[in-house]
């Protein structure tokens, strides 16, 4: 089962915060794996996370409007509960919301996943490799499905906030 939650201004799961709360501009530090963090002042447009029970990875997204400009920052975290794999943090700056959303739509949710077996290992039979590959495909489909659900919710919230 896929679970998607959109975060309110306090960072708790629930329905989108009222428009009045969206005006809160605050300093923000967005984490980046292997690089310096991105620091900005802005307001949270929307954020959320997806998570399926027993999933090999899930994602968290925050979309920030930078104070005094049209620029938008996106923070994206791929959480990998496997003890051997660290979470992957991304933060990107965009000249406007449209480009940020294009980037999110083009993001490959499987990019940060690792394969838990070596198909060239001669100790594994062809049948075992095929079974492990099929299981991995199934787990990857869950990650993709939950990412698409989260992305759909984020796009819906941002579209609802955009004047017609």
């Amino acid at each position: 089962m896929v679970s998607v939650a959109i975060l309110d201004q306090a960072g708790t799961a629930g329905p989108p915060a009222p428009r009045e709360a969206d005006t809160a501009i605050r300093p923000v530090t967005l984490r980046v794996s292997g690089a310096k963090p991105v620091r900005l002042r802005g307001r949270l447009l929307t954020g959320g996370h997806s998570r399926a029970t027993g999933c090999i990875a899930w994602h968290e997204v925050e979309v920030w409007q930078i104070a005094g400009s049209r620029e938008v920052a996106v923070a994206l975290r791929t959480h990998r509960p496997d003890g051997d794999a660290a979470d992957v943090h991304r933060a990107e700056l965009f000249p406007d919301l449209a480009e940020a959303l294009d980037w999110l739509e083009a993001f490959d949710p499987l990019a940060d996943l690792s394969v838990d077996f070596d198909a060239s290992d001669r100790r594994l039979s062809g049948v075992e490799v095929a079974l492990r590959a099929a299981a991995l495909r199934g787990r990857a489909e869950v990650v993709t499905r939950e990412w698409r659900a989260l992305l759909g919710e984020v796009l819906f919230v941002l579209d609802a906030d955009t004047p017609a």
Side-chain angles (χ1 to χ4, degrees):
M1 166 177 265
V2 174
S3 169
V4 175
I6 297 298
L7 304 179
D8 64 15
Q9 291 298 319
T12 57
R19 285 297 278 169
E20 303 83 53
D22 288 350
T23 61
I25 294 175
R26 59 184 189 252
V28 179
T29 303
L30 305 177
R31 207 169 153 184
V32 179
S33 294
K36 292 168 70 174
V38 174
R39 298 181 194 283
L40 58 98
R41 288 188 53 79
R43 67 182 178 97
L44 182 64
L45 296 176
T46 190
H49 62 87
S50 60
R51 189 177 203 169
T53 305
C55 195
I56 58 175
W58 60 88
H59 298 88
E60 295 177 10
V61 175
E62 291 180 343
V63 181
W64 293 87
Q65 177 76 50
I66 297 176
S69 79
R70 292 178 42 113
E71 284 185 290
V72 173
V74 175
L76 176 62
R77 174 185 176 201
T78 302
H79 180 76
R80 302 181 296 182
D82 178 5
D84 296 335
D87 292 353
V88 178
H89 298 266
R90 291 179 174 78
E92 298 284 337
L93 297 173
F94 300 94
D96 57 34
L97 183 58
E99 286 195 35
L101 297 180
D102 286 345
W103 181 79
L104 278 172
E105 287 182 288
F107 176 73
D108 178 5
L110 304 178
D112 302 319
L113 301 185
S114 55
V115 177
D116 57 355
F117 68 96
D118 180 4
S120 65
D121 185 347
R122 292 182 178 253
R123 293 173 294 171
L124 298 176
S125 71
V127 171
E128 189 172 2
V129 169
L131 289 173
R132 287 186 182 193
L136 181 61
R137 251 189 321 276
R139 293 191 309 265
E141 286 174 12
V142 171
V143 171
T144 300
R145 191 170 47 248
E146 74 175 74
W147 166 253
R148 299 307 295 172
L150 171 60
L151 180 60
E153 288 296 319
V154 166
L155 294 173
F156 177 77
V157 168
L158 292 173
D159 185 62
D161 286 345
T162 304

